[in-house]
């Protein structure tokens, strides 16, 4: 670490915890910055004050490659270049809207990274969310906590292909997948949720992944912050057509409220309902099994076909 006039810069940090948490304060000073390659795997040693913080270690290996979840402090303002490079196991990053700048290629080779959890402390949205989402092409599930129910959005993946124009000796980049527009939805680095919802029909008309679309629609209905009536019906209509797959998704997430929401969208056909019942039993998810049995009781015509022998 290095002491600055207004706080501490973390030069290098290594954890043995899979769920790592960076401290808010060191030696009475707030932790305000992560230096270049601060948590990168394989980064060279640096000169600075060494601090050892002992917690509930989950592993004896002090190796950031094992980190699956990383929580940043609310005091953090700046992340340096390549800060999390090669954290291949990291799936979730938690941070606050007080974060102002993120460095170049901060998440290079973070191949498992797929979830962002942002806690907003001010009505004025900070720029960090836009910087992170714009810089990454993979699917990201973003949860925003701002008091009350959270906002949960799926930013679908897109793909970048580079082809070489050999006679001219330059590369051309081609973007595939309807997710690109979602990653660029920010205006002046602020997220407008109605703009996000307006991309839905265009996304379905473009090349897209059906499972990603299902997750997007499911979470918008499950956490409907700022959801208009028109957008609500668009998402609901999509899920009604894929109710069996949506029920399976809710069961695998063990999301009882989401399952109840889906069952209220319409009548699943007998095969979909039976498949959901079989899955809930295999998962030993008794609450869901009870809900599904009650749904089948209310719709006797959709139950399993019965055979009678005379």
């Amino acid at each position: 670490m290095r002491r600055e006039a207004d706080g501490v810069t973390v030069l290098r940090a290594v954890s043995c915890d899979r769920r790592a948490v960076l401290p808010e304060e060191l030696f009475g000073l707030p932790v305000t910055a992560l230096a270049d390659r601060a948590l990168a795997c394989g980064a060279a040693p640096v000169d600075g004050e060494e601090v050892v913080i002992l917690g509930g270690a989950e592993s004896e290996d002090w190796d950031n490659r094992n980190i699956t979840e990383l929580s940043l402090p609310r005091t953090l303002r700046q992340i340096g270049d390549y800060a999390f490079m090669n954290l291949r196991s990291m799936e979730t990053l938690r941070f606050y809207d007080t974060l102002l700048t993120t460095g170049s290629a901060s998440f290079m080779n973070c191949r498992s990274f797929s979830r962002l959890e942002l806690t907003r402390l001010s009505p004025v949205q900070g720029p960090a969310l836009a910087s992170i989402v714009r810089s990454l092409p993979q699917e990201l599930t973003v949860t925003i906590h701002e008091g009350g129910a959270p906002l949960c959005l799926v930013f679908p993946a897109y793909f970048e292909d580079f082809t070489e124009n050999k006679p001219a000796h330059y590369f051309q980049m081609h973007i595939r997948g309807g997710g690109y527009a979602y990653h660029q939805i920010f205006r002046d680095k602020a997220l407008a949720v109605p703009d996000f919802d307006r991309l839905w029909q265009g996304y379905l008309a473009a090349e897209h992944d059906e499972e990603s679309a299902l997750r997007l629609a499911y979470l918008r209905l499950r956490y409907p912050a700022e959801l208009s009536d028109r957008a609500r019906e668009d998402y609901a209509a999509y899920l009604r057509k894929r109710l069996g797959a949506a029920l399976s998704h809710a069961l695998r997430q063990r999301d009882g409220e989401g399952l109840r929401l889906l069952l209220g969208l319409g009548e699943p056909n007998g095969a979909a309902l039976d498949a959901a019942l079989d899955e809930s039993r295999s998962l030993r998810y008794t609450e869901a099994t009870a809900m599904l049995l009650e749904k089948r009781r209310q719709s006797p015509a959709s139950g399993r076909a019965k055979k009678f022998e005379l």
Side-chain angles (χ1 to χ4, degrees), residues 36-146:
D36 295 349
R37 302 174 186 266
L39 279 85
C41 295
V46 295
D47 293 327
E49 296 182 66
E50 184 174 344
V51 180
V52 178
I53 301 174
L54 298 179
E58 299 180 9
S59 166
E60 295 182 357
D61 288 334
W62 288 77
D63 187 345
N64 288 345
R65 287 182 177 85
N66 295 324
I67 292 176
T68 58
E69 300 177 12
L70 176 63
S71 298
L72 303 179
R74 71 182 67 198
T75 53
L76 195 69
R77 302 290 182 270
Q78 180 180 347
I79 293 175
D81 297 343
Y82 307 102
F84 311 116
M85 185 172 68
N86 295 330
L87 268 65
R88 292 184 173 89
S89 298
M90 187 176 73
E91 300 171 359
T92 303
L93 179 72
R94 297 184 177 92
F95 67 106
Y96 291 83
D97 215 22
T98 47
L99 181 62
L100 299 178
T101 60
T102 56
S104 173
S106 298
F107 301 92
M108 179 179 286
N109 296 332
C110 294
R111 297 173 182 172
S112 301
F113 184 39
S114 60
R115 304 186 71 87
L116 279 166
E117 293 198 18
L118 166 64
T119 299
R120 292 187 60 177
L121 302 177
S122 167
V124 179
Q125 187 178 18
L129 179 63
S131 298
I132 296 172
V133 173
R134 282 176 170 173
S135 68
L136 298 170
Q138 67 258 41
E139 180 181 312
L140 294 171
T141 300
V142 174
T143 303
I144 300 175
H145 303 278
E146 193 180 11

Side-chain angles (χ1 to χ4, degrees), residues 253-301:
Q253 299 300 311
R254 302 188 76 85
D255 184 0
E257 286 302 314
L259 183 64
R260 186 174 289 107
L261 182 152
L262 292 172
L263 292 175
L265 291 181
E267 294 292 335
N269 63 45
L273 195 55
D274 288 339
L277 269 167
D278 289 342
E279 186 167 9
S280 69
R281 287 167 176 146
S282 68
L283 294 170
R284 298 185 178 181
Y285 189 2
T286 55
E287 177 192 359
T289 301
M291 276 192 282
L292 292 165
L293 284 171
E294 177 61 19
K295 185 68 173 180
R296 190 165 72 175
R297 185 190 69 79
Q298 296 170 357
S299 308

Side-chain angles (χ1 to χ4, degrees), residues 171-198:
F171 286 88
Q172 294 177 314
M173 184 180 73
H174 303 278
I175 295 174
R176 297 187 296 106
Y180 178 79
Y182 281 97
H183 287 250
Q184 308 305 316
I185 193 63
F186 300 88
R187 297 183 181 181
D188 296 325
K189 296 189 177 181
L191 171 65
V193 179
D195 290 345
F196 179 96
D197 290 330
R198 278 193 283 271

Side-chain angles (χ1 to χ4, degrees), residues 200-201 217 221 227-241 265:
W200 176 243
Q201 295 300 336
L221 288 184
L227 186 63
S228 69
D229 291 341
R230 171 65 183 273
R232 185 190 305 273
E233 181 51 36
D234 285 346
Y235 292 127
Y238 180 84
L239 291 176
R240 285 189 197 101
K241 295 177 181 178
L265 291 181

